Amino acid sequence: MTIRLDTAARAAPVLNAAARRADGNGDGLLTTREIHAARRANGAAATKALLEYHAQHRGLVRNDPELPQAEKSRAMRFMGVEAVDWSTRQAQVQLGRIDSYRGNARRGIGPNTADGVVTDAEIRNYGRTGGKLQMEARPFVAFVSSFEP
C-alpha cells in the first residue's frame, strides 16, 4: 500500500462531504441507517469508511467510564459529523508525521524518506505507535487507497 499525502489531502474533503450528505435530517448526527441510506450518493468506499468510524465511535462510548449508563445507549447510536472531520485531520497529521519521521538512533531505527509518500515499510518503521496506524487513520487510509480524484 502506498498513500500519497497530496491524494490524502484531496480525499479528506470528499469524505467530510460524504458525512454531511449522509446526515439526512441535518441535525449534525449520523446513524448507521442514514449512512446506509446515502450509499448511492456517497459510493461504497465512503460508506465503508463512515461505517467504520461509527463502529469506532460505538466502541469508545461503550468503554467510556465517565459516561452514565443511561446516556450510553443514545450516545452509541449517534455520531457527530464533526467527529469525521476531526478523524480525517488526525489521520492526515499522522501520515505527515510518518512521512517525516527522523528515526531513533538509540534503537537503531533509520529515518523515513520525506517524499510525500507513505508506504507500509514507513508505517512499520514509525516507532511512536509501534509501527501501526492510529485507530482514526485506518478507515481514512482505506478510503484514500481506493480514492479516484
Side-chain angles (χ1 to χ4, degrees), residues 40-95:
R40 180 171 286 149
N42 290 336
T47 301
K48 183 177 179 181
L50 291 175
L51 288 172
E52 180 63 31
Y53 278 131
H54 202 283
Q56 289 176 3
H57 169 76
R58 282 193 311 269
L60 290 172
V61 168
R62 184 180 304 119
N63 295 326
D64 187 0
E66 297 178 1
L67 192 64
Q69 190 64 33
E71 296 177 20
K72 281 189 179 184
S73 63
R74 182 188 187 292
M76 284 175 57
R77 287 186 310 218
F78 302 105
M79 176 185 69
V81 174
E82 294 85 22
V84 177
D85 294 342
W86 183 84
S87 294
T88 56
R89 280 194 307 270
Q90 292 302 314
Q92 289 180 34
V93 167
Q94 188 191 19
L95 290 173

Side-chain angles (χ1 to χ4, degrees), residues 2-147:
T2 301
I3 301 295
R4 297 186 55 82
L5 294 181
D6 57 346
T7 304
R10 286 194 311 271
V14 172
L15 188 57
N16 295 337
R20 285 180 177 68
R21 264 193 309 274
D23 183 21
N25 55 6
D27 62 352
L29 300 173
L30 290 174
T31 63
T32 55
R33 182 173 289 164
E34 288 176 331
I35 295 169
H36 283 294
R39 182 181 182 102
R40 180 171 286 149
N42 290 336
T47 301
K48 183 177 179 181
L50 291 175
L51 288 172
E52 180 63 31
Y53 278 131
H54 202 283
Q56 289 176 3
H57 169 76
R58 282 193 311 269
L60 290 172
V61 168
R62 184 180 304 119
N63 295 326
D64 187 0
E66 297 178 1
L67 192 64
Q69 190 64 33
E71 296 177 20
K72 281 189 179 184
S73 63
R74 182 188 187 292
M76 284 175 57
R77 287 186 310 218
F78 302 105
M79 176 185 69
V81 174
E82 294 85 22
V84 177
D85 294 342
W86 183 84
S87 294
T88 56
R89 280 194 307 270
Q90 292 302 314
Q92 289 180 34
V93 167
Q94 188 191 19
L95 290 173
R97 287 180 180 165
I98 289 171
D99 188 47
S100 63
Y101 181 58
R102 295 183 185 169
N104 188 336
R106 282 184 282 157
R107 292 188 177 178
I109 300 173
N112 288 341
T113 307
D115 56 356
V117 177
V118 176
T119 63
D120 286 333
E122 288 181 335
I123 293 171
R124 284 190 304 274
N125 193 42
Y126 187 60
R128 296 197 176 147
T129 57
K132 296 181 182 177
L133 289 172
Q134 293 171 339
M135 183 176 69
E136 301 92 14
R138 291 178 197 145
F140 181 69
V141 167
F143 176 72
V144 171
S145 65
S146 66
F147 180 71

